[in-house]
Amino acid sequence: MKFFLLGSLIARYLLGGGITLAEESDFFGQIEFGENIFNAQEEVGRFSLWGELGYRLHYAPKAQLQRLGYRRQDSEITSSRTVLRLKTEGQVNDKLFLQISGRTSYDKAALDSELEQELDEIFIDVDTGFGTRFKFGRQLVVFGESDYFQVIDVVNPRDERELGLAELDETRLPVFSSRLSYIGRRWGTDLVLLHEFRPNRLADSGDDFDLFVPLGGFSQIIQNPDPELGSANPDVIVRGFASFPRGDISLVLAETHLYSPSIVGLTDGRFVIEYPRSFMAGFAANYVYGHWVFKVDYARREDVPFLRGDIEQQISLAVQPIEAALEKTRHDLALGFRYSGINDLSISAEVLSQYIGNYQIELSDQQLQSASVVDVAWETLRDKLSTSLLWVQWWDAQSGLARLRFEYDFSDEVSLYGGYIDYFSSDREGLLYPQRRNDRLFFGGIYAF
């Protein structure tokens, strides 16, 4: 039974909404309602070139758990990565804005080290008149108020290869899409069509953060083909939003595929995973009161697969075919705040609750699950030294992580950072119990030009 309990924990994490440690800026979210949109762009005919050269090093101080089949055995350097990012953007004419960005990286400490090259954001942004704009290409589209949980933020997948360790600008992945927006003085609408499916990036088989290690690794998983999206069958998201004197509210409807793999079957003793499509309806709002910002995100997502806990009984009774999962409606509610009333100090906290509707006792997941995040950041030495303390807790899984990070800005172009992250679990069946030896010392530097 332990085998299937571990599978349940993995499914719970994969279905539970990822944690992100960054939020990319959204173009439309930066613009005040009623503002001339070109005030936020470059002058016509002028293009800017931006670049960043970075290096990071991760060291695992603890030997890994051998019985689970991780590839790493002893304490060692697990990452020594150099990253080059380039971006050019500018106003082609008074109607057209263009951005192209890409990155190249190489990790000489990785077991399967290779040069990675990728076009990042590449899009055109066109003023189509009468308050409307059309944005087309690989882009980031940020919806919702939560900084840490994906509730109604369903457009862009995430890089989850190193939980809590990914660089801040690497967590959200752009997708090829079309976005038609209307921006009025106090309200607006968005229609987004996704023409490309990109799942969350997960760790390779046997890596420290391979969530399938308790099941024997990714080699013991059967993956159905990825969804094929195009102009004729895109994923669709519709948003309406309004601005008020002390806050904003938005409503979102979406028919999209889940970016985390779901266990949907069992074949020859191996779990079958895929990325199912589901309908989501939700809203997000924020309210500003003095030095406080209060936030709420809610989503009702249909047809979410949940792993059954009676698979061994089905096998013993020779049930055919084995029913490994049940589709249910999931309700996600995130509440949070940010306080900045003390000089050079900010405190953010969020709580996520997930409730499974029409619950059945056959499910291996609990009907109500919760997680929380507390993030404290402060600046000292004339704002040159930034210190942050992050604590993430999955309460029902009795697991969490804590990260202490320092960053020192020598100038506008050069900065160094370092810190330590600890993963813990007080329950042998806890979500992060197989990864409790993944603690990291990390160091790095960035040169911007």
Side-chain angles (χ1 to χ4, degrees):
M1 188 62 186
K2 183 177 180 181
F3 177 85
F4 294 105
L5 287 174
L6 290 169
S8 169
L9 292 171
I10 291 174
R12 180 187 309 169
Y13 174 81
L14 294 178
L15 292 172
I19 297 286
T20 179
L21 302 182
E23 180 171 326
E24 295 288 346
S25 58
D26 177 39
F27 177 76
F28 289 98
Q30 297 177 28
I31 300 172
E32 297 292 335
F33 291 93
E35 177 187 3
N36 186 333
I37 198 166
F38 294 112
N39 291 339
Q41 304 284 19
E42 298 289 338
E43 296 179 9
V44 173
R46 291 189 59 186
F47 277 78
S48 61
L49 177 63
W50 172 90
E52 183 180 272
L53 180 63
Y55 172 77
R56 73 181 191 196
L57 183 143
H58 296 166
Y59 175 74
K62 299 179 181 178
Q64 190 52 276
L65 298 168
Q66 300 307 305
R67 59 184 176 82
L68 290 179
Y70 288 105
R71 293 191 291 181
R72 179 175 69 87
Q73 298 181 4
D74 303 318
S75 56
E76 61 183 41
I77 293 175
T78 58
S79 178
S80 177
R81 180 180 293 272
T82 302
V83 181
L84 174 65
R85 297 182 179 86
L86 294 174
K87 179 174 74 173
T88 182
E89 62 182 6
Q91 199 74 41
V92 178
N93 54 46
D94 60 353
K95 298 290 185 181
L96 176 63
F97 176 81
L98 171 68
Q99 176 176 313
I100 301 174
S101 62
R103 58 183 166 185
T104 299
S105 66
Y106 179 74
D107 193 340
K108 67 178 182 181
L111 292 175
D112 301 320
S113 59
E114 61 180 12
L115 187 67
E116 296 181 3
Q117 295 178 312
E118 181 180 31
L119 278 176
D120 200 7
E121 288 188 271
I122 174 170
F123 61 83
I124 58 171
D125 186 2
V126 185
D127 177 7
T128 49
F130 303 101
T132 64
R133 298 195 67 81
F134 180 67
K135 193 174 179 182
F136 180 75
R138 261 200 172 182
Q139 56 184 296
L140 299 173
V141 181
V142 182
F143 293 153
E145 298 295 332
S146 174
D147 294 323
Y148 307 98
F149 301 109
Q150 285 183 280
V151 179
I152 66 170
D153 187 15
V154 296
V155 177
N156 298 105
R158 305 294 175 90
D159 188 335
E160 298 181 346
R161 290 177 293 181
E162 297 172 309
L163 181 63
L165 273 168
E167 297 301 326
L168 295 183
D169 54 357
E170 295 176 347
T171 55
R172 184 176 276 111
L173 305 174
V175 292
F176 185 69
S177 57
S178 304
R179 179 179 182 179
L180 179 63
S181 302
Y182 170 78
I183 303 175
R185 183 169 182 80
R186 288 286 181 180
W187 67 280
T189 60
D190 289 292
L191 171 64
V192 181
L193 304 179
L194 305 184
H195 310 297
E196 172 190 27
F197 177 78
R198 298 183 72 188
N200 287 342
R201 285 182 176 171
L202 302 179
D204 293 334
S205 180
D207 283 356
D208 277 8
F209 295 93
D210 178 7
L211 294 177
F212 295 105
V213 159
L215 304 181
F218 201 83
S219 61
Q220 298 302 312
I221 300 295
I222 300 174
Q223 182 174 351
N224 286 338
D226 288 350
E228 294 185 4
L229 302 183
S231 300
N233 63 328
D235 281 353
V236 182
I237 305 98
V238 178
R239 179 180 72 143
F241 55 93
S243 176
F244 302 97
R246 287 188 174 272
D248 305 285
I249 188 170
S250 59
L251 304 176
V252 176
L253 300 176
E255 185 82 26
T256 60
H257 288 82
L258 300 176
Y259 287 132
S260 294
S262 300
I263 296 176
V264 296
L266 186 71
T267 301
D268 298 328
R270 301 164 65 190
F271 283 114
V272 179
I273 63 172
E274 67 180 21
Y275 301 92
R277 198 173 200 164
S278 69
F279 174 79
M280 186 273 288
F283 70 89
N286 65 68
Y287 180 77
V288 180
Y289 183 78
H291 299 291
W292 297 83
V293 179
F294 299 96
K295 302 177 290 185
V296 58
D297 281 26
Y298 167 78
R300 180 184 187 273
R301 184 174 279 278
E302 299 177 353
D303 302 326
V304 178
F306 289 90
L307 189 68
R308 293 180 62 127
D310 62 348
I311 297 179
E312 285 190 334
Q313 290 90 327
Q314 293 184 58
I315 294 175
S316 64
L317 295 174
V319 174
Q320 291 295 332
I322 299 295
E323 188 176 34
L326 295 172
E327 291 186 349
K328 298 294 178 181
T329 297
R330 192 185 72 203
H331 302 267
D332 298 348
L333 176 63
L335 300 172
F337 71 85
R338 181 181 181 187
Y339 176 71
S340 56
I342 303 175
N343 288 341
D344 303 321
L345 177 70
S346 67
I347 302 173
S348 298
E350 293 186 15
V351 176
L352 172 70
S353 294
Q354 295 182 313
Y355 180 82
I356 303 174
N358 193 23
Y359 188 79
Q360 295 177 238
I361 60 174
E362 292 85 2
L363 296 179
S364 59
D365 292 85
Q366 299 180 22
Q367 186 173 18
L368 180 64
Q369 304 172 59
S370 60
S372 63
V373 175
V374 177
D375 191 2
V376 180
W378 63 97
E379 296 183 348
T380 53
L381 301 179
R382 297 182 179 179
D383 297 337
K384 286 187 173 294
L385 177 63
S386 301
T387 305
S388 64
L389 178 61
L390 178 76
W391 170 44
V392 183
Q393 181 77 41
W394 289 269
W395 293 101
D396 58 295
Q398 297 299 308
S399 297
L401 64 87
R403 188 188 72 180
L404 179 64
R405 187 179 189 273
F406 303 94
E407 181 169 356
Y408 187 82
D409 295 328
F410 289 92
S411 65
D412 292 338
E413 295 80 22
V414 179
S415 63
L416 295 177
Y417 64 87
Y420 187 81
I421 187 168
D422 175 67
Y423 303 90
F424 53 88
S425 179
S426 60
D427 187 342
R428 292 184 62 87
E429 303 296 344
L431 176 67
L432 296 184
Y433 189 80
Q435 300 182 40
R436 67 190 186 280
R437 310 285 295 181
N438 288 347
D439 299 359
R440 292 288 194 274
L441 278 166
F442 59 90
F443 307 93
I446 297 174
Y447 171 64
F449 56 91

